[in-house]
Amino acid sequence: MLMSLRHKMPEQTPDERRKNFKEVTLGYTADIAKAEADRCLQCKTAPCRQGCPVEVNIPAFIKHLREDRPDQAVAEIKQKNNLPAVCGRVCPQEHQCEKLCVLAKKGQPVAIGRLERFAADYGLSCDCEPREVGAEPLGKVAIIGAGPAGLTAAGDLACLGYDVTVFEALHEPGGVLMYGIPEFRLPKSIVRKEIDGLKQLGVTIEVNAIAGKTFTIDELFEEEGFEAVFIGTGAGLPHFMDIPGENLNGVYSANEFLTRVNLMKAYQFPQSGTPVHIGKNVAVVGAGNVAMDSARTALRLGAENVYIVYRRSEAEIPARAEELEHAKEEGVQFHLLTAPVRIMGSEKGWVSGLECIRMELGEPDKSGRRRPIPVEGSEYTLDVDAVVMAIGQGPNPLVQHTTPGLEVNKNGNIIANEAGFTSKEGVFAGGDIVTGAATVILAMGAGKKAAVAIHQFLQEKHAVKE
Amino acid sequence: MYVIEKTEELSQGVKSFIVKAPRIAKKCQPGQFIILRTDEDGERIPLTIADFNRETGTITLIFQEVGCSTRQLGRLQAGQAILDVAGPLGNASHIDKFGTVVCIGGGIGVAPVYPIARAYREAGNKVVSIIGARNESLLILEKEMAAVSDILHVTTDDGSKGHKGMVIDPLKSMIAAGEKIDLVIAIGPVVMMRGVAEVTRPYGIKTIVSLNPIMVDGTGMCGGCRVSVGNTNKFACVDGPEFDAHQVDFTGLMARQRMYLEHEKEERKCGGECSCH
Ligand SMILES: Cc1cc2nc3c(=O)[nH]c(=O)nc-3n(C[C@H](O)[C@H](O)[C@H](O)COP(=O)(O)OP(=O)(O)OC[C@H]3O[C@@H](n4cnc5c(N)ncnc54)[C@H](O)[C@@H]3O)c2cc1C
Ligand SMILES: Cc1cc2nc3c(=O)[nH]c(=O)nc-3n(C[C@H](O)[C@H](O)[C@H](O)COP(=O)(O)OP(=O)(O)OC[C@H]3O[C@@H](n4cnc5c(N)ncnc54)[C@H](O)[C@@H]3O)c2cc1C
Ligand code: SF4
Ligand code: SF4
Ligand code: FES
């Protein structure tokens, strides 16, 4: 039988999109979605499901799409995944659901992510009724951090009947979805819509509320009557390389660069109050999603040359396949097997160049990837006036340092088991703060599990009391 | 929304706001700051908590209208509200009984020095304060500082009030007279703080400065506030804002503060009296 090809998703042309912040991919039309859904073989064993960290019932939702029931498709997905419009856009599908699709062997897996996105954008988004006005809540739960982990836990707990308050340090909820991932990849209106949905469920969101500063976890229990706390504070602490010149003007952490542009709308400066320095030639160090986002943002701000500097080879690039491809199409230039050695500066303290050294791949290291080794004497200089460091983030220690009894590992991540229990009674944790920087869907999965665990914990606690 | 209960003009271009922020007022300590955003398009700017009242749930902010964001803030009236106020941020001053503590405030820096001086006095220290400004009309909190200090020196660049000269002059005189100084706190423009650090360094007098690099989140998330202290990078918002003055790379701090100078000019161009919002 002749294999049918995956349907492409319409998108802005590279020339067009590198000048604007609008979403790059435009989503399937109803016709394309139907045709793509028809490609699914409805496998009984559904291997694709095992690839999804939250085990979305993929064949079932695709069947609904085939039979023109997008609303039911969304309801099916939402059984497992509260933010399908987000995950359909940002999941690394090629390593997850689509990787295990039986059609993947021929290189043409069903476009599960695109279908999920189609269903979510098309269908209605509410999947449970708000608690009735006046109905007694099952208990009072605090969520720290309004990223995907916290928002998911909040939604599930609200559906179960809890009185939920989310405390967020920044002035907007959403976590990385709001301050990190750019508008052209994940429109902020989608994130806001999801958050509005939570508010309709009765979830209170308190912004400008920094756990460990504005209040402590113990105070939430002792003074504010919360019975359980979920910590989903993410991996927000930027890493630098500790090479000379990193404090020069024009050197940003990816967090700062992206926050200025996404959260603070620096691309609209001076209409928005926050400026950002746009180099003419920009080097972005790293090759994950964060690096691709930074590079493509720099292009859109008007940089003429944008370089990705990465010490391993293309095979090891951790970014989503789609982002890598988009970055190439838009003209991002790749300096692979290259590591920065120092940042050169002008008299006035501005970046004037990036000295790099070429690398070659040696024996595999702990991560199983071949270790890059510097090639002696291969130094060269990239002519750049801005550098963005996108080499990873660690856990922010504010909560850990102010919560006695909460155990952390040697990296500073909170220790929690699969279900989300930490070493401190009544305190649960999940997402990047536990695993280290990972993915949206894993953070949501952790939020879901913690909601179940919190429900169980509080029911048992209340039962003992009665 | 954080309602402004009272506004006052302390001197030309320097305003004091009393703002309702119960959670912050309950928790804050001398030396800490907040980050605010006046409206949807506003920048996040840090301001020190100059005073607080736990009963009324209010904090006092004292700021100088230097650019777009602070001027925009200054246009707000009592009864109006600030969109976002987050805090208290940074570490509290390490208040203890040291003996003689010299508290130095330059320009707007007097505002953050005030609650710190008061706390040192309450902890039983002898507090000698030195406050300075370019001229008399720019001098703030003189009465308040006098009330919390054993001795208060006032300096102005032009001699219009007190000693003609800089805040480091009375400090130098104290050292020359052989007075015992156990601790110096200096807050003000970077050049002033560097000046103080250079005066005390040869004598090994412990000196603390409160740094004010450009910030975004104030929670350790962006790294924009990094300064080199003792040759390692610190994030001023979470590791500071107070640091050992003799370890700080003031030159680097000054360069980083100027990062958006060109942008700020552009911002001001875009409509005379800051109508860019
Ligand atoms: C630029 C970028 C691009 C990415 N692209 C992708 C992608 O394409 N696909 C993908 O799957 N993943 C991607 N990721 C990773 C993904 O976004 C994260 O794994 C995910 O957001 C983690 O969710 P979280 O809820 O654990 O934490 P976060 O999303 O980090 O949210 C944590 C929230 O907690 C708040 N907070 C922190 N400390 C406190 C405190 N003390 N008190 C109150 N609130 C606090 C923070 O302000 C934040 O809002 C990307 C990450 C970045 C930075
Ligand atoms: C921890 C901390 C506490 C502070 N406390 C106070 C306070 O109590 N009262 C007060 O008036 N100011 C305080 N500042 C400084 C205040 O944040 C800046 O004056 C303000 O951000 C300037 O914003 P703007 O848009 O009005 O001016 P801009 O247009 O951004 O800048 C105007 C001028 O001020 C300089 N500038 C910008 N940011 C800073 C900064 N962070 N420090 C020094 N100079 C700067 C610019 O280079 C420019 O010359 C504090 C800063 C920090 C980091
Ligand atoms: S949530 Fe992510 S991994 Fe799961 S089915 Fe959807 S796109 Fe695939
Ligand atoms: S493995 Fe592929 S073809 Fe089979 S059910 Fe899943 S998506 Fe459909
Ligand atoms: S202001 Fe962002 S880390 Fe300090």
Side-chain angles (χ1 to χ4, degrees):
Chain A
M1 196 177 80
L2 203 71
M3 189 89 145
S4 66
L5 297 181
R6 253 155 96 85
H7 291 81
K8 280 201 141 94
M9 187 159 46
E11 54 187 41
Q12 293 189 64
T13 65
D15 275 350
E16 196 181 347
R17 71 196 192 223
R18 60 174 283 176
K19 293 186 215 102
N20 68 50
F21 274 85
K22 285 189 241 149
E23 192 170 14
V24 167
T25 53
L26 305 171
Y28 277 162
T29 61
D31 289 344
I32 307 180
K34 193 124 185 290
E36 183 64 25
D38 280 337
R39 293 184 61 232
C40 170
L41 306 176
Q42 294 289 312
C43 313
K44 281 250 144 37
T45 51
C48 49
R49 275 190 87 170
Q50 271 108 64
C52 171
V54 295
E55 291 174 28
V56 166
N57 192 338
I58 295 165
F61 98 76
I62 293 183
K63 187 153 190 280
H64 286 306
L65 284 183
R66 253 189 204 179
E67 292 164 12
D68 266 333
R69 295 186 300 267
D71 281 3
Q72 286 182 43
V74 193
E76 179 62 57
I77 301 169
K78 283 219 161 187
Q79 302 268 326
K80 297 286 180 185
N81 172 351
N82 300 38
L83 305 173
V86 174
C87 292
R89 286 173 169 82
V90 305
C91 259
Q93 289 98 6
E94 68 274 17
H95 298 302
Q96 298 182 353
C97 51
E98 293 178 12
K99 184 180 183 180
L100 297 189
C101 171
V102 292
L103 298 179
K105 290 189 203 92
K106 308 252 173 69
Q108 294 293 327
V110 174
I112 302 167
R114 292 170 188 174
L115 288 174
E116 180 171 318
R117 165 186 170 163
F118 170 81
D121 287 358
Y122 191 94
L124 288 169
S125 85
C126 210
D127 64 339
C128 83
E129 297 293 316
R131 189 156 34 90
E132 269 171 51
V133 188
E136 188 65 23
L138 289 184
K140 202 173 159 195
V141 183
I143 308 286
I144 313 299
L151 293 176
T152 303
D156 283 10
L157 286 163
C159 284
L160 286 166
Y162 287 89
D163 176 2
V164 183
T165 305
V166 180
F167 296 96
E168 167 56 46
L170 292 170
H171 57 256
E172 277 230 48
V176 167
L177 307 182
M178 219 58 203
Y179 77 73
I181 303 181
E183 177 77 19
F184 57 83
R185 202 146 75 77
L186 178 64
K188 301 306 153 221
S189 57
I190 290 173
V191 184
R192 288 206 182 93
K193 200 173 127 203
E194 298 290 356
I195 289 162
D196 284 345
L198 285 185
K199 289 183 184 159
Q200 277 161 23
L201 287 179
V203 173
T204 306
I205 299 185
E206 195 175 318
V207 293
N208 301 316
I210 307 148
K213 284 289 175 190
T214 316
F215 55 84
T216 63
I217 305 291
D218 285 338
E219 284 164 1
L220 290 180
F221 286 113
E222 288 156 18
E223 296 171 22
E224 304 205 21
F226 287 98
E227 298 169 278
V229 175
F230 173 78
I231 303 172
T233 47
L237 187 76
H239 288 164
F240 287 90
M241 292 188 73
D242 279 332
I243 55 172
E246 261 183 323
N247 285 3
L248 289 163
N249 284 346
V251 183
Y252 283 113
S253 73
N255 274 3
E256 182 181 1
F257 184 66
L258 291 171
T259 300
R260 281 180 179 272
V261 179
N262 297 329
L263 185 71
M264 305 310 297
K265 299 181 251 158
Y267 60 92
Q268 292 171 351
F269 182 87
Q271 194 215 318
S272 75
T274 307
V276 67
H277 165 70
I278 311 155
K280 199 166 150 223
N281 303 309
V282 183
V284 176
V285 182
N289 287 319
V290 186
M292 296 306 148
D293 284 345
S294 304
R296 297 171 68 201
T297 296
L299 273 181
R300 282 164 176 75
L301 290 170
E304 283 171 23
N305 291 294
V306 178
Y307 311 103
I308 288 273
V309 176
Y310 181 52
R311 62 196 182 118
R312 300 179 193 259
S313 70
E314 176 151 351
E316 288 86 19
I317 286 184
R320 294 178 76 221
E322 185 176 86
E323 310 317 326
L324 175 60
E325 195 182 313
H326 281 154
K328 283 185 185 164
E329 285 169 7
E330 288 165 14
V332 173
Q333 300 163 52
F334 286 76
H335 286 244
L336 301 175
L337 286 169
T338 301
V341 180
R342 80 187 161 105
I343 305 168
M344 284 117 91
S346 70
E347 262 165 43
K348 288 193 168 155
W350 282 86
V351 172
S352 64
L354 181 69
E355 187 180 308
C356 299
I357 186 163
R358 294 199 200 283
M359 311 291 273
E360 57 191 12
L361 291 180
E363 296 297 305
D365 61 14
K366 275 195 303 234
S367 70
R369 300 179 299 180
R370 293 175 66 195
R371 184 200 306 273
I373 306 165
V375 178
E376 230 174 282
S378 69
E379 289 88 349
Y380 68 103
T381 301
L382 265 179
D383 175 23
V384 296
D385 48 6
V387 177
V388 179
M389 289 293 171
I391 54 165
Q393 296 104 246
N396 187 315
L398 278 181
V399 172
Q400 295 86 302
H401 283 178
T402 51
T403 312
L406 185 63
E407 277 174 29
V408 300
N409 68 16
K410 64 176 188 330
N411 298 325
N413 292 103
I414 296 177
I415 298 175
N417 69 7
E418 266 290 296
F421 284 89
T422 67
S423 58
K424 191 174 168 90
E425 166 143 346
V427 178
F428 299 76
D432 282 4
I433 189 63
V434 170
T435 56
T439 59
V440 173
I441 190 67
L442 283 173
M444 289 179 43
K448 271 199 144 357
K449 285 186 191 139
V452 173
I454 290 172
H455 182 46
Q456 245 172 19
F457 167 77
L458 288 180
Q459 284 200 315
E460 279 164 24
K461 198 174 131 189
H462 296 161
V464 172
K465 266 196 207 149
E466 274 157 19
Chain B
M1 296 293 260
Y2 300 79
V3 175
I4 302 165
E5 299 206 329
K6 186 163 169 255
T7 67
E8 190 185 341
E9 182 142 8
L10 299 185
S11 76
Q12 166 113 55
V14 176
K15 289 188 175 152
S16 162
F17 279 11
I18 295 180
V19 180
K20 189 98 181 167
R23 273 196 193 275
I24 301 172
K26 182 174 155 207
K27 212 58 216 262
C28 63
Q29 298 291 339
Q32 291 189 296
F33 64 95
I34 54 96
I35 285 195
L36 65 77
R37 199 170 73 117
T38 47
D39 65 24
E40 268 313 316
D41 283 324
E43 197 177 4
R44 291 173 65 99
I45 59 164
L47 293 176
T48 307
I49 302 168
D51 207 347
F52 51 87
N53 185 326
R54 304 211 201 276
E55 272 83 63
T56 56
T58 55
I59 56 171
T60 303
L61 305 174
I62 296 180
F63 61 96
Q64 187 164 23
E65 298 181 48
V66 289
C68 209
S69 304
T70 43
R71 275 205 296 270
Q72 198 194 0
L73 179 66
R75 281 203 296 271
L76 295 178
Q77 307 285 327
Q80 289 183 298
I82 302 169
L83 183 59
D84 297 298
V85 180
L89 299 168
N91 296 306
S93 303
H94 174 64
I95 307 291
D96 211 334
K97 189 161 176 193
F98 292 97
T100 300
V101 179
V102 178
C103 296
I104 306 176
I108 190 76
V110 181
V113 160
Y114 168 64
I116 298 173
R118 184 174 61 188
Y120 276 116
R121 181 72 174 287
E122 282 166 3
N125 293 283
K126 177 181 174 191
V127 172
V128 178
S129 296
I130 310 172
I131 61 172
R134 263 182 293 145
N135 58 54
E136 182 177 8
S137 70
L138 294 175
L139 200 67
I140 57 168
L141 300 180
E142 188 186 345
K143 273 206 311 281
E144 287 82 354
M145 284 300 288
V148 299
S149 311
D150 294 274
I151 299 169
L152 175 70
H153 297 283
V154 174
T155 70
T156 50
D157 290 3
D158 64 356
S160 51
K161 174 93 195 221
H163 168 85
K164 180 176 189 304
M166 296 184 294
V167 286
I168 50 173
D169 299 343
L171 176 66
K172 281 183 183 161
S173 311
M174 283 177 76
I175 294 173
E179 284 182 48
K180 185 172 146 307
I181 301 174
D182 298 290
L183 179 68
V184 173
I185 313 286
I187 308 181
V190 180
V191 265
M192 177 208 106
M193 294 192 282
R194 184 174 62 181
V196 171
E198 290 322 313
V199 170
T200 57
R201 191 192 304 272
Y203 304 95
I205 301 170
K206 186 168 179 203
T207 304
I208 302 289
V209 287
S210 178
L211 303 185
N212 54 357
I214 293 170
M215 294 186 176
V216 183
D217 58 297
T219 64
M221 181 270 269
C222 75
C225 63
R226 61 196 187 275
V227 282
S228 174
V229 180
N231 287 323
T232 52
N233 256 344
K234 299 282 180 191
F235 290 179
C237 68
V238 284
D239 299 325
E242 294 183 1
F243 292 101
D244 176 351
H246 299 146
Q247 303 286 321
V248 172
D249 169 16
F250 289 105
T251 315
L253 173 64
M254 264 188 280
R256 286 188 64 79
Q257 276 187 349
R258 285 195 294 268
M259 176 138 172
Y260 298 101
L261 221 51
E262 291 304 314
H263 290 84
E264 283 146 11
K265 280 190 205 136
E266 182 187 336
E267 190 174 42
R268 260 163 254 160
K269 250 192 336 225
C270 73
E273 229 315 88
C274 183
S275 57
C276 40
H277 291 288

